[in-house]
Amino acid sequence: MASPTVNAKRFCTAATVLLALLALLSLLVGKYPLSLEKLITGEGLHRRVFWSLRCSRTLVGVTGGFALGVAGFVYQTVFRNPLASPDIIGVSSGASAGAAAGILFLSGSAAVTACAFSGALMAVVLALALSGLDRSGKNSTIVLAGIAVHSLAQTALMCLKLTADPERQLASIEYWIMGSLSGISLHSIGGNLALCALCLAVLFLLHRQIILLSAEEGEARMLGVDVGTMRLAVLLIATLVVSGVVSLTGLVSFVGLLAPHGARLLIGDHRRGTMLLSGLLGGCLLCGADILARSMAAAELPVSIFTSLLGAPFLIYLIVKGRNCP
């Protein structure tokens, strides 16, 4: 029988190959199908579609899915909760409120992206600040702070919806909340992708501390981890990653929940291997969902439809499994 390390390498390699194939398919599939032959020969319209539309969508699909998968792994590990996700401290609802404000009061996709990022960042800073008032260091404090911030952000979002023009602005807000990779261009994603890459690099450098945070607090302290400080730092970095993604794509459901579970089912808790495989599976999920979203119907569908079709049954499975466990 192969060792856990060998299994982890095999599954990570297979997931990398699958992600590469999905990325190639993403570059070619869409309402205007592209062919490798015409791209190589330099046909004008093919090249413009390839560079202005497909490259940006594929980059965001691969990188964004990878980032959401890693962030989901971090949340589930730090909170020691298999149902934990980036939504748990209000990042998604904060991004929604920020995007709604950008749609109402500003113009242009760049402004909406900036407002969504600011809203997500403000939400997590507020949640971490509230949790910092409790010096006990309990995980439940951060969860309760996140629920409070989520409620505040949802209230702000409802107020903004009430003031929106029903025929134009309200529809834009609802479509943003459903999540989509359409409208993404190369000139608007550089800053977000750079932020995601930097934060992901830091998270992988801190992988040992992240794993230790899943242990009991006393045990983690004995192993040299400043639990309170490290927990807040790791959660802030993970949320910055999520903020950078959702400010581009809108809300994408279940990727941060499904990918880490899939990695653990395949290779178990193999430290860095599980973290890496979570990211690779997240990239496969988002990239695959985007391919389906632009090819399954005449009009482009929201990405979250396809991620939710996978996520909702998986949640039911977790509930049934937990109920049957002794």
Side-chain angles (χ1 to χ4, degrees):
M1 180 180 292
S3 68
T5 300
V6 173
N7 281 335
K9 289 181 179 179
R10 287 176 179 174
F11 279 112
C12 287
T13 301
T16 302
V17 172
L18 177 60
L19 183 56
L21 292 174
L22 286 171
L24 178 60
L25 186 61
S26 175
L27 290 171
L28 301 177
V29 171
K31 297 305 176 186
Y32 185 83
L34 302 180
S35 68
L36 286 174
E37 180 183 353
K38 291 186 178 181
L39 285 174
I40 293 172
T41 58
E43 200 276 329
L45 184 58
H46 272 61
R47 291 176 64 87
R48 286 195 296 274
V49 170
F50 179 82
W51 288 111
S52 63
L53 298 177
R54 300 290 170 77
C55 279
S56 55
R57 290 189 72 149
T58 302
L59 277 173
V60 172
V62 171
T63 307
F66 187 94
L68 292 175
V70 171
F73 171 85
V74 170
Y75 280 98
Q76 291 175 16
T77 302
V78 172
F79 288 118
R80 299 194 294 272
N81 186 338
L83 297 179
S85 69
D87 303 339
I88 201 169
I89 55 176
V91 58
S92 297
S93 45
S96 299
I103 291 170
L104 285 177
F105 304 119
L106 299 173
S107 61
S109 59
V112 174
T113 298
C115 288
F117 181 82
S118 300
L121 190 58
M122 288 173 60
V124 70
V125 168
L126 179 58
L128 294 179
L130 289 174
S131 68
L133 298 176
D134 183 0
R135 300 298 181 183
S136 65
K138 296 180 180 178
N139 287 334
S140 58
T141 304
I142 300 176
V143 175
L144 291 173
I147 292 172
V149 171
H150 171 77
S151 299
L152 288 173
Q154 286 297 310
T155 301
L157 179 60
M158 286 188 287
C159 292
L160 290 169
K161 284 183 177 181
L162 288 174
T163 63
D165 178 3
E167 296 183 358
R168 183 171 54 87
Q169 294 172 326
L170 186 58
S172 298
I173 292 172
E174 293 293 347
Y175 190 77
W176 191 93
I177 290 173
M178 289 189 288
S180 175
L181 272 64
S182 64
I184 293 174
S185 60
L186 282 175
H187 70 271
S188 64
I189 64 175
N192 294 62
L193 294 186
L195 175 67
C196 288
L198 177 62
C199 291
L200 286 171
V202 174
L203 288 176
F204 275 98
L205 288 174
L206 295 175
H207 76 279
R208 177 180 176 275
Q209 288 83 351
I210 293 171
I211 298 298
L212 290 177
L213 288 174
S214 65
E216 292 298 327
E217 185 169 334
E219 182 180 349
R221 291 185 187 279
M222 289 178 61
L223 293 171
V225 178
D226 185 348
V227 175
T229 301
M230 184 56 63
R231 181 189 292 123
L232 292 178
V234 165
L235 290 176
L236 180 59
I237 295 169
T239 305
L240 281 174
V241 170
V242 177
S243 302
V245 176
V246 300
S247 62
L248 287 175
T249 65
L251 300 187
V252 179
S253 307
F254 291 112
V255 173
L257 174 68
L258 288 174
H261 275 289
R264 290 191 181 95
L265 286 174
L266 291 173
I267 62 174
D269 288 316
H270 185 264
R271 299 180 181 269
R272 190 185 299 184
T274 309
M275 190 172 178
L276 176 60
L277 187 57
S278 296
L280 293 170
L281 293 180
C284 292
L285 282 171
L286 185 54
C287 197
D290 182 49
I291 292 171
L292 293 174
R294 57 178 126 138
S295 59
M296 291 292 289
E300 184 164 328
L301 299 174
V303 171
S304 285
I305 289 179
F306 299 98
T307 56
S308 297
L309 285 174
L310 289 173
F314 190 75
L315 275 178
I316 296 172
Y317 162 76
L318 290 178
I319 292 170
V320 172
K321 181 182 177 182
R323 183 178 179 181
N324 292 334
C325 288

